[in-house]
Amino acid sequence: MLKTLDDVIERIKAAKRVLVIGHIKPDGDAISSVATMMGILRKMGKVVEGCIDDEIPWFYKSIPGVSEIKNVEQLRSYEYDTSITVDASEISRIGASVELLKDKKPDITLDHHKTNVGFGEIDFYDHRYAAVAEIVYEMAKKMGVEYDPDLAEVNLLGIATDTGFFKYSNVDAKVFRYASELVENGANIQHIASVVLEHRTIKEFKLFSAMIDTLKVEENGKLAWAYVSAEMLKSHNCTDEDVRGFVGELRSIYGVEVAILFTEWPEKQVNISFRSKDYVDVSEIAVEFGGGGHARASGCSRKNVDLSEMMKSVIEKSRDVLKKYEAISNLS
Amino acid sequence: MLKTLDDVIERIKAAKRVLVIGHIKPDGDAISSVATMMGILRKMGKVVEGCIDDEIPWFYKSIPGVSEIKNVEQLRSYEYDTSITVDASEISRIGASVELLKDKKPDITLDHHKTNVGFGEIDFYDHRYAAVAEIVYEMAKKMGVEYDPDLAEVNLLGIATDTGFFKYSNVDAKVFRYASELVENGANIQHIASVVLEHRTIKEFKLFSAMIDTLKVEENGKLAWAYVSAEMLKSHNCTDEDVRGFVGELRSIYGVEVAILFTEWPEKQVNISFRSKDYVDVSEIAVEFGGGGHARASGCSRKNVDLSEMMKSVIEKSRDVLKKYEAISNLS
C-alpha cells in the first residue's frame, strides 16, 4: 500500500532484525541501495543482512560495503522481523530472494519506477526520484543518521549510476545537492567513476566493433538499432555482461532519438534495451513486449524466440511510437 | 598582479564597456566563461563583447549565448575600458585577440591553471577551482547577479566539461553545490550533456573499430597503444577531429596505466596523446618529444616523420618511464 516516507521511517524504527533485498541483474542503484540501507540500519543499532539473488559484477566490490551483500543460500537460516526490497518494481524482480520472504509480502518496498505495482505492506515509490539511493539518503537524513566516508561513497554510487553520472534528464537540483552533501561527508566521485567505468576489456572493444557492423539507422536518422547474437558473443568469448553500455553509445549518435540494442543470450532468449534522447517515452515500447522501465531507459526480455523475428516486430512498434511522438511534437 | 576576487569585483563594478577574451582551441570552460561573463555584465547594465580567436566547435552553439561570441575581425573597432581574459594561463593562449589589447596588459585575468604566470593588471588564479566557470559563478553570486535559465545553463557548461561531467578528481562538494544552484536556476544538465557528448557519427564508430584493430597491450597489461594513420582517416572519410576521445577509451581498459594514441594527420605528421590512470606522469614522455601537458594527460606532435619509426621510439621511452614509476612504487 502506498505510504509516505515518514510511515516507512516509523516502521524501520520499530525493526530489530532486517533483511534488505535488491533485484536480479543488479545495477549500481540496486547494489548501492542494499549496501547503504545495511550501513544505515547498522548505525541505528539494528541487525541487518542484505541479499541479491545474482552475481554482483566484480568491479562494484571495491566500493565500501558492497562485498557484504549475500546470496539466498547464505541467508536461508537468517531470522528477521522486517523485510525491505529496494529498486524492484514488482516481486518477480527479486528472483529467488522471494523464498526468504516465506510467502509473505515484503514489509517495506522502496522504488522509483513508474511501473511499480505496489507489492509490499508499506510501499514507497515515486518516479521523480532519480535513484532509490536518493530515497535511501533522504530517509537517513530524516532519521538523523551520521554518515562516514564509506557510507557516503556507497550511497553516492547509486545516485551516480542511475543518473548516468549526472547526465540524464532525471538530474534535478536535489540530485546535485545530495551529491554535494555526500562528497562533503567523504565520498570520492572520481573513485566511483574509475571503478564503474574504467574496467573495459579488449574483447569488449572487439565485440563493440562487431555490434557496430550490425548498426542500422533509419527514420531520418532518429531510430538506431543494432544487435549482438549469441553466436557473436561466443565467438568473442563474451557474455551479455560485456554489452553493458553499448546501447548508450548508440544513443550518442548525432540526431538519434531512439536507440535499441538486441542481445541474444543465452541462445533463443532476446534481451532488448531501449534508450531515448529527448522526447520519446521508450517504456511504452518495452511494456508492449512485457518489460518496463523509465521514459529514457527501458527494457524487456523474451525466451524461446527467434532473434530476427523479434527484431522485426520490436522495430515496427518502435517506428510507430517514434512517429506518434513526432506527431505530438508537430502539433504543439 | 595576484589579487582577491573582491578586487576583481571592485574593478568590474567600475567598468562601463567590457571586452571578454577566451583562449584559442576553445574548450567548454573557455566558451562558457566568456559567454557567462557577457551575460553577467549585461545584467549589470554594461556594454560587453566576447572574443575568441578560433573556431568554436559547432555543437556548443546550441548552448544559450555561445553564438554571440565574436572573432577578432568583428571587434577591431570595438571600444572598451576594461579587458578580461578567462581560462588563459599566459598571454600567448589568447592568439590574435592580443591585437585588441593594443600593447596593454589585460585589466583582469581569471584562471585556474597551476602554470598561470600572472599577466594582467589584476590577476585572480587559483588551481583549486575545477573550472574558470566556477570562479565566474562565485563572482556573480558575490555581486548578487540574478540568473535566468539561459545564463545558468551556459555557466554550468564550463563546470561540467572541465570536470569530465563530474567524474574527475577536481570535483569537490562546492562543484556539486554550484551545479545544484545552477540547475535550481534553470540549467538543464541533460541538454548540456547531449549537446557536448551526443553528436557521434557512424563513420567515427567505424574508425574506432579500425583503431581497435591496431591496439596492442603490453608490460603486463599496463601499457596500451594504438594508431590511426592518415590512410585510415582518409578511407573512413574522417579527419583528426574524429579521434577526439579515443585515447580516453584506451585508458578505460582494465589494468591499463598508460595509454597512447598515435594519429598521423596530415600525412607524415604524427600527433601523440598520452593518458595515465593512477601514478605515471605522462608529461615526462611528451616533454622528451617536444610536447607537454599534465601528469594524467599530455601530448606532442612531430612533422616529417615516419609513423612506425615514431611509434617505435615513443613506445620505447614510454616503457622506460612506466618501469621507472613501477620501481618507485615498489620501493615505497
Side-chain angles (χ1 to χ4, degrees):
Chain A
M1 193 186 209
L2 185 59
K3 299 267 190 169
T4 67
L5 210 48
D6 288 327
D7 295 324
V8 173
I9 288 170
E10 200 185 327
R11 179 68 185 80
I12 281 177
K13 283 185 175 162
K16 286 200 171 65
R17 298 176 63 88
V18 185
L19 174 66
V20 187
I21 300 172
H23 60 71
I24 52 172
K25 298 203 170 192
D27 56 6
D29 190 27
I31 293 163
S32 162
S33 296
V34 172
T36 306
M37 275 306 288
M38 289 170 71
I40 290 167
L41 294 167
R42 280 188 189 147
K43 279 189 187 285
M44 293 171 77
K46 298 174 195 305
V47 176
V48 56
E49 293 284 1
C51 184
I52 289 180
D53 170 39
D54 222 328
E55 205 162 320
I56 293 176
W58 60 270
F59 51 86
Y60 285 115
K61 291 180 185 164
S62 31
I63 304 289
V66 171
S67 55
E68 289 179 45
I69 300 172
K70 294 180 177 166
N71 62 34
V72 177
E73 282 321 308
Q74 292 170 295
L75 292 169
R76 290 259 181 231
S77 60
Y78 175 63
E79 291 184 5
Y80 60 87
D81 51 61
T82 306
S83 59
I84 306 176
T85 67
V86 292
D87 204 30
S89 54
E90 47 173 329
I91 194 80
S92 69
R93 292 285 293 144
I94 68 170
S97 298
V98 74
E99 294 164 23
L100 303 178
L101 294 179
K102 294 158 192 154
D103 294 324
K104 283 170 54 189
K105 283 184 183 181
D107 295 295
I108 298 169
T109 76
L110 299 175
D111 188 32
H112 71 134
H113 290 92
K114 246 188 182 168
T115 48
N116 186 293
V117 296
F119 57 98
E121 296 293 343
I122 296 176
D123 298 310
F124 180 80
Y125 51 90
D126 186 339
H127 72 271
R128 289 168 302 180
Y129 285 86
V132 174
E134 198 189 349
I135 301 176
V136 170
Y137 179 62
E138 205 162 293
M139 224 169 60
K141 272 170 70 113
K142 276 178 177 254
M143 296 192 296
V145 175
E146 276 204 24
Y147 269 52
D148 57 41
D150 282 359
L151 186 54
E153 183 142 318
V154 72
N155 200 156
L156 185 54
L157 166 68
I159 297 176
T161 53
D162 253 26
T163 59
F165 283 84
F166 310 98
K167 288 196 297 286
Y168 296 164
S169 60
N170 58 6
V171 175
D172 55 16
K174 197 172 67 173
V175 164
F176 276 130
R177 194 167 67 244
Y178 288 178
S180 174
E181 293 170 8
L182 289 166
V183 168
E184 192 76 54
N185 278 313
N188 181 341
I189 188 67
Q190 191 254 336
H191 179 244
I192 297 171
S194 177
V195 163
V196 176
L197 305 171
E198 296 198 321
H199 53 77
R200 302 183 68 176
T201 57
I202 296 162
K203 64 181 187 181
E204 194 186 313
F205 280 129
K206 304 267 183 194
L207 181 69
F208 181 77
S209 298
M211 185 270 288
I212 288 299
D213 287 339
T214 76
L215 172 64
K216 294 275 184 299
V217 180
E218 51 168 88
E219 300 296 318
N220 289 321
K222 295 206 165 117
L223 178 64
W225 54 272
Y227 67 85
V228 176
S229 66
E231 204 186 308
M232 286 161 68
L233 284 168
K234 275 184 270 176
S235 74
H236 285 86
N237 196 24
C238 289
T239 70
D240 59 343
E241 286 286 303
D242 298 297
V243 307
R244 277 169 198 256
F246 282 15
V247 69
E249 300 279 339
L250 297 180
R251 179 175 61 184
S252 79
I253 298 170
Y254 181 66
V256 165
E257 172 58 26
V258 175
I260 312 172
L261 179 69
F262 299 87
T263 310
E264 184 195 13
W265 190 261
E267 240 164 296
K268 295 287 168 202
Q269 176 174 328
V270 180
N271 309 303
I272 314 172
S273 302
F274 304 92
R275 295 290 182 276
S276 65
K277 209 178 261 170
D278 288 322
Y279 53 88
V280 172
D281 182 348
V282 286
S283 74
E284 283 183 30
I285 315 171
V287 163
E288 192 79 13
F289 295 92
H294 308 280
R296 301 284 167 266
S298 67
C300 59
S301 187
R302 280 283 178 90
K303 284 176 186 176
N304 298 314
V305 290
D306 176 75
L307 175 60
S308 60
E309 275 169 33
M310 194 68 201
M311 285 186 353
K312 196 162 167 276
S313 52
V314 169
I315 291 161
E316 226 157 77
K317 179 68 193 170
S318 304
R319 278 188 202 117
D320 290 347
V321 170
L322 175 65
K323 277 174 190 155
K324 188 188 82 178
Y325 277 91
E326 304 233 289
I328 294 169
S329 74
N330 286 340
L331 280 175
S332 63
Chain B
M1 193 188 205
L2 185 59
K3 299 267 190 169
T4 68
L5 211 48
D6 287 328
D7 295 324
V8 173
I9 288 169
E10 200 185 327
R11 180 68 186 79
I12 281 177
K13 283 186 173 161
K16 286 200 171 64
R17 299 176 63 90
V18 185
L19 174 66
V20 187
I21 299 172
H23 61 72
I24 52 172
K25 297 201 170 194
D27 56 6
D29 191 27
I31 293 163
S32 162
S33 297
V34 171
T36 306
M37 276 305 291
M38 289 169 71
I40 290 168
L41 294 167
R42 280 189 188 143
K43 281 191 185 281
M44 293 171 78
K46 298 174 195 304
V47 177
V48 56
E49 293 284 2
C51 184
I52 289 179
D53 171 39
D54 222 329
E55 205 162 321
I56 294 175
W58 60 271
F59 51 85
Y60 285 115
K61 291 181 184 163
S62 31
I63 303 289
V66 171
S67 55
E68 289 178 45
I69 300 172
K70 294 180 177 167
N71 61 34
V72 177
E73 282 320 307
Q74 290 170 296
L75 292 169
R76 290 257 182 233
S77 60
Y78 175 63
E79 291 184 4
Y80 60 87
D81 52 61
T82 306
S83 58
I84 307 176
T85 67
V86 292
D87 204 29
S89 55
E90 47 173 328
I91 194 79
S92 69
R93 292 284 294 144
I94 68 170
S97 298
V98 73
E99 294 165 22
L100 303 178
L101 294 178
K102 293 158 193 155
D103 295 324
K104 283 169 55 187
K105 283 183 181 181
D107 295 296
I108 298 168
T109 77
L110 299 174
D111 188 33
H112 71 134
H113 290 91
K114 252 190 179 162
T115 48
N116 186 292
V117 296
F119 58 97
E121 297 292 344
I122 296 175
D123 298 310
F124 181 79
Y125 51 91
D126 186 340
H127 72 269
R128 289 168 302 180
Y129 285 85
V132 173
E134 198 188 350
I135 301 175
V136 169
Y137 178 63
E138 206 162 290
M139 223 169 60
K141 273 171 69 116
K142 278 178 176 252
M143 296 193 296
V145 175
E146 276 203 26
Y147 270 51
D148 58 40
D150 283 358
L151 186 55
E153 183 142 320
V154 73
N155 200 156
L156 185 54
L157 167 68
I159 297 175
T161 53
D162 254 26
T163 59
F165 283 84
F166 311 99
K167 287 196 298 287
Y168 296 163
S169 59
N170 59 6
V171 175
D172 55 16
K174 195 172 70 173
V175 163
F176 277 130
R177 194 166 68 244
Y178 288 177
S180 173
E181 292 170 8
L182 289 166
V183 168
E184 192 76 55
N185 278 314
N188 181 340
I189 188 66
Q190 189 254 337
H191 181 244
I192 296 171
S194 178
V195 163
V196 176
L197 305 171
E198 297 197 320
H199 52 77
R200 300 181 70 174
T201 57
I202 295 163
K203 64 180 186 180
E204 195 187 311
F205 280 129
K206 304 267 184 194
L207 181 68
F208 182 76
S209 298
M211 185 269 288
I212 289 299
D213 288 338
T214 75
L215 172 63
K216 295 275 182 301
V217 181
E218 50 169 271
E219 301 295 319
N220 289 321
K222 296 208 164 116
L223 178 63
W225 55 272
Y227 66 85
V228 176
S229 66
E231 204 184 307
M232 285 160 70
L233 284 168
K234 275 184 271 177
S235 75
H236 285 84
N237 197 22
C238 288
T239 71
D240 58 343
E241 286 288 302
D242 297 297
V243 307
R244 276 170 198 257
F246 282 15
V247 70
E249 301 279 340
L250 297 180
R251 179 175 61 183
S252 78
I253 298 170
Y254 180 66
V256 165
E257 173 58 26
V258 174
I260 312 173
L261 179 68
F262 299 88
T263 310
E264 183 195 14
W265 190 260
E267 242 165 296
K268 296 288 168 200
Q269 176 175 330
V270 179
N271 309 303
I272 313 172
S273 301
F274 303 92
R275 294 289 183 277
S276 66
K277 208 177 259 167
D278 287 322
Y279 54 88
V280 173
D281 182 348
V282 286
S283 74
E284 282 182 31
I285 316 172
V287 163
E288 193 79 12
F289 295 92
H294 309 279
R296 300 285 167 267
S298 67
C300 59
S301 187
R302 280 284 177 91
K303 284 177 185 174
N304 297 314
V305 290
D306 177 74
L307 176 59
S308 60
E309 276 171 32
M310 193 69 202
M311 285 183 0
K312 195 161 168 275
S313 51
V314 168
I315 291 160
E316 226 156 77
K317 178 70 194 171
S318 304
R319 278 187 202 119
D320 291 346
V321 170
L322 176 64
K323 278 175 190 154
K324 187 187 82 179
Y325 277 92
E326 302 233 289
I328 294 169
S329 74
N330 286 340
L331 280 176
S332 64

